[in-house]
Amino acid sequence: MNPDRTLPWDWYPGRIPENVAVDDMAYVETTYSFCFFRSQLPRGVEIGPGASTYLGTMFDVGPHGRVKLGKCALVHGARIICDSEIIIGDYALLSWNVVLMDTYRVSFNVVERRKELERVPTRQPRLAEADVPARPVRIERNVWIGFDSCVLPGVTIGEGSVVGARSVVAEDVPPYAVVAGNPARVIRRLENG
Amino acid sequence: MSEPSSTPHSPRPVQRAQVPPANVRLGPNTLVTGELSFKRFLSNEPDALVIGSHCTMDGVHFALGEKGRVQIGNYCYFTNAVLLCELEMRIGNYVVIGWNATIADTDFHPLKPAERIADAIACSPLGQGRPRPEIPKRPVTIEDDVWIGPNATLLKGVRIGTGAFIEAGSLVTRDVPAHARIMGNPAQVIGEVR
C-alpha cells in the first residue's frame, strides 16, 4: 500500500479506508471493493497475512459492521453484507458471486419496510440501513465455498467443510462436511487430515 | 434526477445517474445508475420502461428485447438486478430486489431440439435476418411490498403475491402466495411474513 493508502496496481482511483487494516503480506486487488464500506468502528475490516481479495469482492459494511479475513483467506469475489460481524477463517476459499449476509437490511414487517424504503432515496449514497437485528456469520478455517452460494444471517460453517456451488446455507454446517443444494444439506463427511 | 453520490473512500460518484433512452419514463426523484443499465435495452415499444417516483435502480440491467415492456411502481429499491424482458413485467410499489437477482419472462430458446437448431442458425451471422421460431414467453408480475434476496432467480410467468419474501438464492418457477416466505430450488413455502 502507498503512504496515501492507494494501491499502486489499482485501476480504481480510491483509497483503503483508515479503519481498514491490511497486513503487509495481504493482497487487495482494488479499492473499488470499499465503495460501499461505511463502518465507523476503529477496525471495520481486518485483512490478515497472506489473505487476498479480488475484483468483485464488495465490503458492503454498515456503520457497526466488522469483517475479519484470516491468514491466507482467498476471497475471489464475495458480496459481504455486514451490519454486525462476519469472520472468514484462516485458509478459507471463497469463490465468485458468493453472498455472505448477516442482515436483511430491511424489516420483515411490511409497515416498517415501507418506512425504510421511503428513507432510502433521501440518503447519499442511496442505501437501506434499517436498524434490524443482525446475526453474525462465521466461516471457520479451511472452509471452501463454491460460486454463487449464499450464506444467510446467523450461520456458522464449521472447520474444513465444503459448500457446493449455488448452495444456499440457511443452517449451521458441522465441521468437515460437504454440503450442497438449496437449502444446503450434508451430502458427505470428510476425514480430518 | 438526483445528484450523484459518493462515499468518503471513492473519488468517483458510486451512483452516477444514467441517461435513459427516449422510450423510458422516470418519475420524480428516481435514480438509475450503473454503466450497463441500458447496454442491452433494445425495446422499440413506446414507454417501454416506466418507473414511478422515489425509486433507486442501482446497477440494474434493463435487458429489454424489441417488444419488451417493464412497469415499476414507487419507492422500489433494486441493486444490480438483471431484468431480462421479451414481453412484459409489472412490478408494484415498495419492492426490493437484491444484488445479482435475475428475473426473466422468456425461455430465450425453444425446447424442441429441431427448433433449437433453427434458432441457433437464425441467431447466427449466417441467419441473415431469418425469423426465429416461436419462443415461450409469459409475463412476470411482482405485487407490492415483495422482497427478493440476492442471487434469486424468477422464471417466466410467475406472479409473486403482496408482501412475499423470497430468500437469497431461491429459484422461483411457480406463483407465490401473498405474505409467503419461500426458499430453495425449486422454491417452496417455508413460512409466512406479515
Side-chain angles (χ1 to χ4, degrees):
Chain A
M1 202 196 304
N2 295 327
D4 64 352
R5 303 187 73 83
T6 59
L7 302 170
W9 49 81
D10 203 350
W11 57 272
Y12 187 75
R15 286 167 208 279
I16 301 280
E18 293 291 336
N19 56 344
V20 170
V22 182
D23 189 271
D24 287 341
M25 295 305 290
Y27 176 75
V28 173
E29 184 174 330
T30 174
T31 56
Y32 187 72
S33 297
F34 294 96
C35 267
F36 291 109
F37 175 84
R38 51 205 185 280
S39 177
Q40 306 282 317
L41 298 183
R43 275 271 184 277
V45 172
E46 212 173 303
I47 302 179
S52 43
T53 69
Y54 290 87
L55 177 66
T57 301
M58 290 307 277
F59 290 98
D60 186 347
V61 181
H64 309 292
R66 185 204 314 268
V67 177
K68 202 179 156 190
L69 273 67
K71 216 185 294 172
C72 298
L74 184 136
V75 180
H76 202 99
R79 181 92 182 185
I80 300 171
I81 302 170
C82 176
D83 280 349
S84 63
E85 188 174 57
I86 296 184
I87 294 179
I88 299 168
D90 299 347
Y91 314 108
L93 307 168
L94 271 64
S95 188
W96 57 89
N97 280 358
V98 166
V99 174
L100 306 181
M101 51 194 284
D102 70 357
T103 172
Y104 289 96
R105 286 267 159 80
V106 289
S107 174
F108 281 75
N109 177 276
V110 169
V111 178
E112 291 300 315
R113 193 152 77 228
R114 282 192 171 206
K115 281 188 205 158
E116 175 60 18
L117 289 171
E118 283 164 13
R119 284 190 285 258
V120 168
T122 66
R123 295 200 181 105
Q124 292 280 343
R126 295 187 182 197
L127 292 163
E129 299 268 32
D131 192 15
V132 292
R135 290 182 295 148
V137 168
R138 272 169 232 288
I139 312 298
E140 293 185 352
R141 72 200 289 275
N142 196 201
V143 165
W144 178 19
I145 303 184
F147 66 84
D148 281 3
S149 293
C150 303
V151 179
L152 302 187
V155 167
T156 294
I157 301 184
E159 177 172 345
S161 284
V162 178
V163 176
R166 298 248 160 117
S167 300
V168 175
V169 187
E171 289 169 6
D172 289 358
V173 173
Y176 300 99
V178 179
V179 301
N182 178 359
R185 307 239 187 272
V186 176
I187 57 167
R188 245 176 87 182
R189 301 278 177 175
L190 296 171
E191 272 179 51
N192 176 10
Chain B
M1 218 170 277
S2 318
E3 285 293 299
S5 56
S6 61
T7 61
H9 328 293
S10 60
R12 289 185 199 162
V14 294
Q15 292 177 330
R16 196 163 15 177
Q18 294 296 302
V19 180
N23 54 346
V24 172
R25 212 146 36 90
L26 305 182
N29 198 25
T30 280
L31 179 65
V32 178
T33 62
E35 311 288 326
L36 301 173
S37 304
F38 299 110
K39 277 278 186 293
R40 301 262 172 193
F41 186 96
L42 304 172
S43 184
N44 299 320
E45 296 286 311
D47 287 335
L49 173 61
V50 178
I51 308 181
S53 56
H54 308 285
C55 289
T56 304
M57 302 284 133
D58 192 6
V60 177
H61 292 216
F62 293 104
L64 275 65
E66 286 172 16
K67 296 195 180 308
R69 278 172 299 130
V70 175
Q71 203 182 80
I72 299 172
N74 305 321
Y75 290 106
C76 288
Y77 175 43
F78 303 174
T79 46
N80 300 74
V82 181
L83 306 183
L84 303 161
C85 173
E86 294 288 339
L87 186 66
E88 192 182 11
M89 286 183 191
R90 301 172 79 116
I91 301 175
N93 304 305
Y94 297 95
V95 172
V96 180
I97 303 183
W99 178 78
N100 204 29
T102 303
I103 303 175
D105 67 357
T106 167
D107 280 350
F108 307 100
H109 299 290
L111 192 61
K112 288 186 184 155
E115 288 182 18
R116 250 181 295 130
I117 291 175
D119 196 32
I121 295 168
C123 291
S124 79
L126 306 176
Q128 296 173 329
R130 205 177 300 192
R132 295 180 63 182
E134 188 70 21
I135 291 160
K137 302 179 188 93
R138 274 158 60 207
V140 169
T141 308
I142 299 172
E143 294 179 358
D144 293 352
D145 299 302
V146 169
W147 187 90
I148 298 173
N151 277 356
T153 307
L154 272 61
L155 297 185
K156 68 174 194 307
V158 297
R159 170 182 281 270
I160 313 293
T162 307
F165 201 90
I166 318 290
E167 272 291 356
S170 301
L171 181 80
V172 186
T173 56
R174 294 178 195 284
D175 289 359
V176 175
H179 301 287
R181 184 174 181 188
I182 66 165
M183 84 170 292
N185 176 7
Q188 291 175 341
V189 177
I190 57 164
E192 200 177 80
V193 281
R194 286 281 165 188

